[in-house]
Amino acid sequence: MHPLLEMRGITKTFPGVRALDNVNLTVREGEIHALVGENGAGKSTLMKVLSGVYPHGTYEGEILLDGAPVAFRSIRDSEARGIIIIHQELALVPLLSIAENIFLGNECARGGVISWRETWARTEALLAKVGLDEAPQTPVDRLGVGKQQLVEIAKALSKRVRLLILDEPTAALSEADSEKLLDLLLELRAQGVTSIIISHKLNEVRRVADRVTVLRDGATVATHDARAETLTEDMIVRDMVGRPMENRYPPREERRAGEVLMEVRNWRVAHPEHAERIVVRDVSLRLRAGEVVGIAGLMGAGRTELAMSLFGESWGRKLAGEALIEGRPADISRVDRAIAAGLAYVTEDRKELGLVLEEPITFNVTLANLAGVSRRGVLSRREEARVAERYREAMAIRTPGVHQKVVNLSGGNQQKVVLSKWLFADPRVLILDEPTRGIDVGAKYEIYTIINRLAAEGRGILMISSEMPELLGMCDRIYVMCEGAIVGELSADEASQERIMSLIVKHRRQAA
Amino acid sequence: MTSETATGAGAAAGGAVRAYLTGHLREYGLLIALVAIMVFFQILTDGTLLRPVNITNLFLQNSYIIIMALGMLIVIVGGNIDLSVGSVLGFVGALAAVMIVNWQMPVWMTVIACLLTGIVIGAAQGYWVAYWGIPSFIVTLAGMLVFRGASLWLLEGQSIGPFPMEFQRLSTGFVPDLLPWLGEALAALAGVRRVHGLTMALAALASAAILWLGLRARARDRAYGMELEPAAFFALRNAIVIGAILFLSWKLATFRGLPNVLVTMAVLTLIYAFITERTTLGRRIYALGGNRKAAALSGIPTERLTFLTFVNMGFLAALAGLIYAARLNVATPKAGFALELDVIAAVFIGGASMSGGVGRVVGAVVGAFIMGVMNNGMSIMGIGIDYQQMIKGLVLLAAVVFDVYNKRKQA
């Protein structure tokens, strides 16, 4: 197999930073090539060089396509040669239909007049190819993330793609949707489409990739044959972090649960716009002091909705249910009341819902507890800086200073700022929603350590995660949620991926 | 003159200073721009701009814009906009005229009623924006039409005036000299006919306070390892500010002293600067504009806060309406027409961002003065209103382009 793409000696510098340092990447015709590395290792930068986002001339090194050098000046140039990127943040227009999105900028038109018949026919063919059973006229915002991802791929196929680049395609997908997507990639490979997949999930890399290239600190560390029996995930992780990782989850000193901190009884919530849709069905759960309790489930199981409705009824309309904190009924009907009752909620989407990005660390850390840094409504800058400094040390937030804007921090450090914000509010119960999403391996370990420390301090942790190994590695107990209801509860000893999945499957079968 | 010194100092110093300068170009740029514009018009108007009588005029003419800019800054920082303030100003002026002139009501009662009316108007508009989520652009566009029409209806298309002296003093009155001995001493010393003692005493006090607060903040920044303004910049900036205060005060003192509105304006500016920068209330407004969802999930009552920003705007627009009517000594159906645009322009020239969460009170006030000096200077030069509007439009565009350019360069 001759190489489809060769990137030789790519060096890209930004003022003060060398983002890529002599990177080499060879992708063979017809293979699935995985690109892995920690956040900030240079994966996205490399793909931007490849696709012409950083035009030819702004980097050193050369790019060869089919053995001939190319000089892309824009994304248009690279797309014309069949190189198509699907970004982590999907680039679909929510209010347009699937068909309109697929042919956006590339309409089936004659003299500016769109032929809808042709558009829809071609869309149907493309949707069949990616296995999406939806009408071409369906607006994209009615589709879940998994299906939107498929629309993106259909869009790429419409442009006669030769090299498909997927940037963390499964980050926002449930296990089942991820499986589907990975199967699709294998199918496309069979049809001759070459792809590069950027991923943090090494099990997926092992499942689909033919070869894997590891980047670290802007340099190529190694390219492995991903099909080799001798290659282990630990070897890849070692390449990524530059040191061996014996354990992906920190050990807990001792697991000793105290008295019940929070109890939820028959919590029932309807969708905010469609009153007839019950999204959380009579959920009851208990959380003890010092416990880390997981909530497992697929995308759309209602986990985030449950968490947000518990936290000051921030989502949906609560129909029934009561919450007790330390044995007494608690008023958690507004966010400020929930905070006063001792609750904290670390959101799934830290950029959209957790941080004021253009403001410094000091601003963000104190936001949920301004009373703690003020007297009679007047802020003390001194106190604020002291608090931020304290959490910078306790959480090991890597930053030049606490007056740095959080937009300049890496994902892991941003997450530590969000955690600091909530710890400064001193909650008894923390609800963590996907606390390690989009964070690299090393920072994940740090977050886990912090979670364990918080539990050891006697707080209760309710942890939502779509990564089952993470729940299995961290939790004392796991509730399994499906279609808005809790369908099972497993202790740490009982729990396994198989048992969780079988609870979900069983529930679905009964429902059907 | 001063702007050359500033850039010269920046170029001469090392890389750290240059880095600091690029990071804070906006703040210095604004101050330098104001000074440069003043120097420019001072020369072009053959010294008329900085005559005592014109300086007094400058404050009187711009007081209502600055007062409204304080409220507008907060509305814009909160992520909204208020297009109705010009109409509200006109409506409140009309209401005052009807109450005082037609109904013979006492001035104090009218003032209170008018301010309450402003608060109610702000609440009525804020309600739809905050609790119904209707875009403020639309709600206040409606308000702009409604209150323009309402003032026409109140005045029945006529102009009503004049006002009694007591009401006019809101705007055109001067603070009595409580320190005549100081004035006499200074007059003798400088060899001029008379000097308003209180004005110079307050100017000296303000200068000392600015210097002291600046030094204290600097010490605090140093203690907490914040990025430090280079000493030369600190000195130069304060020299310009204090120099300007003393210079302008002297001019005022040798004329008629402190206009009442200047005092109102200065006190309000201080209060609002304090609220926005030093209180939890202010902090919450910045969080609201910076990321509304994150603020709500941090326990900040975003709806009530949005509502309050409009209530406050209504109050300030009403106050400005009273001052405006008192200054013109008549209420007309066209009063305040298109004034909202001057106010909004001042806030954006002052560095606020359309998307919310960014902007400072000091910036808005300096922005308003930049607009004011340009208006005044061009009027003195006899430039037609046609050119004036074109020039003001281009200055607004230039200021925002400068902002965006700066931001891109940093990114």
Side-chain angles (χ1 to χ4, degrees), chain B residues 272-308:
Chain B
Y272 280 93
F274 181 79
I275 289 175
T276 50
E277 289 177 25
R278 296 297 309 277
T279 66
T280 54
L281 179 65
R283 173 61 59 86
R284 290 185 173 135
I285 294 169
Y286 281 91
L288 165 71
N291 186 343
R292 195 175 55 83
K293 290 178 189 163
L297 283 173
S298 301
I300 291 170
T302 50
E303 293 176 350
R304 197 173 55 199
L305 214 50
T306 303
F307 177 72
L308 288 178

Short mmCIF file of all heavy atoms in Angstrom, two decimals, chain B residues 272-308:
data_model
loop_
_atom_site.label_atom_id
_atom_site.label_comp_id
_atom_site.label_asym_id
_atom_site.label_seq_id
_atom_site.Cartn_x
_atom_site.Cartn_y
_atom_site.Cartn_z
N TYR B 272 -21.17 54.76 40.86
CA TYR B 272 -21.30 53.64 39.91
C TYR B 272 -19.98 52.94 39.67
O TYR B 272 -19.96 51.72 39.46
CB TYR B 272 -21.96 54.12 38.61
CG TYR B 272 -23.45 54.22 38.78
CD1 TYR B 272 -24.06 55.40 39.15
CD2 TYR B 272 -24.25 53.09 38.63
CE1 TYR B 272 -25.42 55.48 39.34
CE2 TYR B 272 -25.62 53.16 38.82
CZ TYR B 272 -26.20 54.35 39.17
OH TYR B 272 -27.55 54.40 39.37
N ALA B 273 -18.89 53.68 39.70
CA ALA B 273 -17.59 53.03 39.56
C ALA B 273 -17.37 52.08 40.74
O ALA B 273 -16.91 50.95 40.59
CB ALA B 273 -16.47 54.07 39.48
N PHE B 274 -17.75 52.54 41.91
CA PHE B 274 -17.59 51.71 43.10
C PHE B 274 -18.48 50.46 43.01
O PHE B 274 -18.02 49.34 43.23
CB PHE B 274 -17.94 52.52 44.35
CG PHE B 274 -17.78 51.76 45.62
CD1 PHE B 274 -16.51 51.58 46.17
CD2 PHE B 274 -18.87 51.20 46.26
CE1 PHE B 274 -16.34 50.86 47.34
CE2 PHE B 274 -18.71 50.48 47.43
CZ PHE B 274 -17.44 50.31 47.98
N ILE B 275 -19.73 50.66 42.63
CA ILE B 275 -20.64 49.52 42.55
C ILE B 275 -20.13 48.48 41.54
O ILE B 275 -20.08 47.29 41.83
CB ILE B 275 -22.06 49.98 42.13
CG1 ILE B 275 -22.71 50.75 43.29
CG2 ILE B 275 -22.94 48.78 41.75
CD1 ILE B 275 -24.05 51.35 42.95
N THR B 276 -19.71 48.95 40.37
CA THR B 276 -19.32 47.98 39.35
C THR B 276 -18.01 47.28 39.68
O THR B 276 -17.84 46.13 39.32
CB THR B 276 -19.19 48.63 37.96
OG1 THR B 276 -18.35 49.79 38.10
CG2 THR B 276 -20.52 49.04 37.40
N GLU B 277 -17.11 48.00 40.35
CA GLU B 277 -15.79 47.38 40.50
C GLU B 277 -15.53 46.78 41.88
O GLU B 277 -14.65 45.94 42.02
CB GLU B 277 -14.71 48.41 40.15
CG GLU B 277 -14.74 48.64 38.65
CD GLU B 277 -13.76 49.68 38.18
OE1 GLU B 277 -12.76 49.88 38.88
OE2 GLU B 277 -14.00 50.26 37.12
N ARG B 278 -16.25 47.24 42.87
CA ARG B 278 -15.90 46.78 44.21
C ARG B 278 -16.98 46.01 44.96
O ARG B 278 -16.76 45.58 46.09
CB ARG B 278 -15.47 47.99 45.06
CG ARG B 278 -14.20 48.68 44.56
CD ARG B 278 -13.00 47.77 44.62
NE ARG B 278 -12.85 47.14 45.93
CZ ARG B 278 -12.28 47.69 46.97
NH1 ARG B 278 -11.77 48.89 46.88
NH2 ARG B 278 -12.18 47.05 48.10
N THR B 279 -18.18 45.89 44.39
CA THR B 279 -19.23 45.23 45.16
C THR B 279 -19.63 43.89 44.52
O THR B 279 -19.38 43.65 43.34
CB THR B 279 -20.51 46.09 45.25
OG1 THR B 279 -21.06 46.20 43.94
CG2 THR B 279 -20.20 47.48 45.79
N THR B 280 -20.25 43.06 45.34
CA THR B 280 -20.71 41.76 44.82
C THR B 280 -21.81 41.98 43.77
O THR B 280 -21.90 41.23 42.81
CB THR B 280 -21.28 40.90 45.96
OG1 THR B 280 -22.27 41.65 46.64
CG2 THR B 280 -20.20 40.51 46.93
N LEU B 281 -22.60 43.03 43.96
CA LEU B 281 -23.63 43.34 42.98
C LEU B 281 -23.02 43.57 41.59
O LEU B 281 -23.46 43.00 40.58
CB LEU B 281 -24.40 44.59 43.42
CG LEU B 281 -25.50 45.08 42.50
CD1 LEU B 281 -26.62 44.05 42.43
CD2 LEU B 281 -26.05 46.42 42.96
N GLY B 282 -21.97 44.39 41.57
CA GLY B 282 -21.30 44.67 40.31
C GLY B 282 -20.70 43.40 39.71
O GLY B 282 -20.84 43.12 38.52
N ARG B 283 -20.07 42.62 40.57
CA ARG B 283 -19.44 41.39 40.12
C ARG B 283 -20.47 40.48 39.46
O ARG B 283 -20.23 39.84 38.44
CB ARG B 283 -18.78 40.71 41.32
CG ARG B 283 -18.23 39.35 41.07
CD ARG B 283 -17.15 39.37 40.03
NE ARG B 283 -16.04 40.22 40.35
CZ ARG B 283 -15.00 39.85 41.08
NH1 ARG B 283 -14.94 38.65 41.58
NH2 ARG B 283 -14.00 40.67 41.32
N ARG B 284 -21.65 40.43 40.05
CA ARG B 284 -22.71 39.57 39.51
C ARG B 284 -23.17 40.06 38.15
O ARG B 284 -23.51 39.25 37.28
CB ARG B 284 -23.89 39.52 40.47
CG ARG B 284 -23.56 38.77 41.70
CD ARG B 284 -24.75 38.61 42.61
NE ARG B 284 -24.37 37.73 43.69
CZ ARG B 284 -24.65 37.95 44.96
NH1 ARG B 284 -25.34 39.01 45.31
NH2 ARG B 284 -24.26 37.10 45.88
N ILE B 285 -23.18 41.37 37.96
CA ILE B 285 -23.61 41.90 36.66
C ILE B 285 -22.60 41.51 35.58
O ILE B 285 -22.96 41.12 34.47
CB ILE B 285 -23.80 43.42 36.72
CG1 ILE B 285 -24.97 43.74 37.66
CG2 ILE B 285 -24.07 44.01 35.34
CD1 ILE B 285 -25.11 45.20 38.00
N TYR B 286 -21.31 41.57 35.92
CA TYR B 286 -20.29 41.15 34.94
C TYR B 286 -20.42 39.66 34.63
O TYR B 286 -20.27 39.24 33.49
CB TYR B 286 -18.88 41.47 35.44
CG TYR B 286 -18.52 42.92 35.25
CD1 TYR B 286 -18.76 43.87 36.24
CD2 TYR B 286 -17.94 43.36 34.06
CE1 TYR B 286 -18.45 45.20 36.06
CE2 TYR B 286 -17.62 44.68 33.86
CZ TYR B 286 -17.88 45.61 34.87
OH TYR B 286 -17.57 46.92 34.68
N ALA B 287 -20.72 38.87 35.67
CA ALA B 287 -20.89 37.42 35.45
C ALA B 287 -22.11 37.17 34.57
O ALA B 287 -22.07 36.34 33.66
CB ALA B 287 -21.02 36.70 36.78
N LEU B 288 -23.17 37.91 34.83
CA LEU B 288 -24.40 37.79 34.04
C LEU B 288 -24.12 38.04 32.56
O LEU B 288 -24.55 37.29 31.69
CB LEU B 288 -25.43 38.80 34.57
CG LEU B 288 -26.65 39.11 33.71
CD1 LEU B 288 -27.59 37.92 33.70
CD2 LEU B 288 -27.37 40.34 34.24
N GLY B 289 -23.38 39.12 32.28
CA GLY B 289 -23.09 39.44 30.88
C GLY B 289 -22.04 38.52 30.28
O GLY B 289 -22.06 38.23 29.10
N GLY B 290 -21.10 38.07 31.12
CA GLY B 290 -19.99 37.24 30.63
C GLY B 290 -20.46 35.84 30.26
O GLY B 290 -20.00 35.26 29.28
N ASN B 291 -21.34 35.26 31.06
CA ASN B 291 -21.88 33.94 30.77
C ASN B 291 -23.13 33.75 31.61
O ASN B 291 -23.05 33.35 32.77
CB ASN B 291 -20.85 32.84 31.06
CG ASN B 291 -21.32 31.47 30.62
OD1 ASN B 291 -22.50 31.26 30.38
ND2 ASN B 291 -20.40 30.54 30.51
N ARG B 292 -24.27 34.04 31.02
CA ARG B 292 -25.52 34.05 31.77
C ARG B 292 -25.83 32.69 32.38
O ARG B 292 -26.24 32.58 33.52
CB ARG B 292 -26.67 34.48 30.86
CG ARG B 292 -27.92 34.88 31.61
CD ARG B 292 -28.98 35.41 30.66
NE ARG B 292 -29.27 34.45 29.60
CZ ARG B 292 -30.11 33.42 29.75
NH1 ARG B 292 -30.72 33.23 30.88
NH2 ARG B 292 -30.32 32.60 28.75
N LYS B 293 -25.60 31.63 31.59
CA LYS B 293 -25.94 30.29 32.10
C LYS B 293 -25.05 29.91 33.27
O LYS B 293 -25.52 29.37 34.27
CB LYS B 293 -25.79 29.27 30.97
CG LYS B 293 -26.83 29.41 29.90
CD LYS B 293 -26.57 28.38 28.81
CE LYS B 293 -27.45 28.61 27.62
NZ LYS B 293 -26.90 27.89 26.44
N ALA B 294 -23.75 30.18 33.12
CA ALA B 294 -22.83 29.84 34.22
C ALA B 294 -23.18 30.65 35.46
O ALA B 294 -23.11 30.15 36.58
CB ALA B 294 -21.38 30.09 33.79
N ALA B 295 -23.57 31.91 35.27
CA ALA B 295 -23.93 32.74 36.41
C ALA B 295 -25.16 32.16 37.11
O ALA B 295 -25.19 32.03 38.33
CB ALA B 295 -24.20 34.17 35.95
N ALA B 296 -26.16 31.77 36.32
CA ALA B 296 -27.38 31.21 36.91
C ALA B 296 -27.06 29.95 37.69
O ALA B 296 -27.56 29.74 38.79
CB ALA B 296 -28.40 30.91 35.81
N LEU B 297 -26.19 29.11 37.13
CA LEU B 297 -25.84 27.86 37.82
C LEU B 297 -24.88 28.09 38.98
O LEU B 297 -24.50 27.16 39.67
CB LEU B 297 -25.25 26.86 36.83
CG LEU B 297 -26.28 26.17 35.94
CD1 LEU B 297 -25.61 25.34 34.87
CD2 LEU B 297 -27.21 25.29 36.77
N SER B 298 -24.44 29.32 39.17
CA SER B 298 -23.63 29.64 40.35
C SER B 298 -24.49 30.31 41.42
O SER B 298 -23.97 30.87 42.37
CB SER B 298 -22.46 30.56 39.98
OG SER B 298 -21.65 29.94 39.02
N GLY B 299 -25.79 30.26 41.22
CA GLY B 299 -26.69 30.79 42.25
C GLY B 299 -26.96 32.27 42.12
O GLY B 299 -27.47 32.89 43.05
N ILE B 300 -26.64 32.87 40.99
CA ILE B 300 -26.88 34.30 40.80
C ILE B 300 -28.27 34.48 40.19
O ILE B 300 -28.59 33.85 39.17
CB ILE B 300 -25.79 34.91 39.90
CG1 ILE B 300 -24.47 34.92 40.69
CG2 ILE B 300 -26.17 36.31 39.45
CD1 ILE B 300 -23.28 35.28 39.86
N PRO B 301 -29.13 35.30 40.81
CA PRO B 301 -30.48 35.49 40.29
C PRO B 301 -30.47 36.34 39.03
O PRO B 301 -30.67 37.55 39.07
CB PRO B 301 -31.21 36.21 41.43
CG PRO B 301 -30.14 36.88 42.21
CD PRO B 301 -28.88 36.12 42.01
N THR B 302 -30.21 35.70 37.90
CA THR B 302 -29.96 36.44 36.66
C THR B 302 -31.17 37.24 36.21
O THR B 302 -31.02 38.34 35.69
CB THR B 302 -29.55 35.48 35.54
OG1 THR B 302 -30.51 34.42 35.50
CG2 THR B 302 -28.20 34.88 35.79
N GLU B 303 -32.36 36.71 36.43
CA GLU B 303 -33.55 37.42 35.96
C GLU B 303 -33.75 38.72 36.74
O GLU B 303 -33.95 39.79 36.17
CB GLU B 303 -34.78 36.53 36.08
CG GLU B 303 -34.72 35.34 35.14
CD GLU B 303 -35.89 34.39 35.32
OE1 GLU B 303 -36.65 34.56 36.30
OE2 GLU B 303 -36.03 33.49 34.48
N ARG B 304 -33.67 38.59 38.08
CA ARG B 304 -33.89 39.78 38.89
C ARG B 304 -32.83 40.84 38.60
O ARG B 304 -33.08 42.03 38.54
CB ARG B 304 -33.87 39.41 40.37
CG ARG B 304 -34.47 40.49 41.23
CD ARG B 304 -34.60 40.03 42.65
NE ARG B 304 -33.31 39.58 43.15
CZ ARG B 304 -33.18 38.79 44.21
NH1 ARG B 304 -34.22 38.33 44.84
NH2 ARG B 304 -31.98 38.43 44.62
N LEU B 305 -31.60 40.35 38.38
CA LEU B 305 -30.50 41.28 38.12
C LEU B 305 -30.72 42.03 36.80
O LEU B 305 -30.50 43.24 36.71
CB LEU B 305 -29.21 40.46 38.06
CG LEU B 305 -27.93 41.08 38.56
CD1 LEU B 305 -28.12 41.67 39.94
CD2 LEU B 305 -26.83 40.03 38.59
N THR B 306 -31.15 41.31 35.78
CA THR B 306 -31.44 41.95 34.49
C THR B 306 -32.52 43.01 34.68
O THR B 306 -32.41 44.13 34.19
CB THR B 306 -31.92 40.90 33.47
OG1 THR B 306 -30.92 39.89 33.35
CG2 THR B 306 -32.17 41.53 32.11
N PHE B 307 -33.56 42.62 35.41
CA PHE B 307 -34.65 43.55 35.71
C PHE B 307 -34.10 44.82 36.36
O PHE B 307 -34.42 45.94 35.95
CB PHE B 307 -35.64 42.83 36.63
CG PHE B 307 -36.80 43.66 37.09
CD1 PHE B 307 -37.81 44.01 36.21
CD2 PHE B 307 -36.88 44.10 38.40
CE1 PHE B 307 -38.88 44.77 36.63
CE2 PHE B 307 -37.95 44.87 38.83
CZ PHE B 307 -38.95 45.21 37.94
N LEU B 308 -33.25 44.65 37.35
CA LEU B 308 -32.72 45.80 38.08
C LEU B 308 -31.88 46.71 37.20
O LEU B 308 -31.88 47.93 37.38
CB LEU B 308 -31.91 45.33 39.29
CG LEU B 308 -32.75 44.75 40.43
CD1 LEU B 308 -31.85 44.25 41.56
CD2 LEU B 308 -33.73 45.79 40.96
#
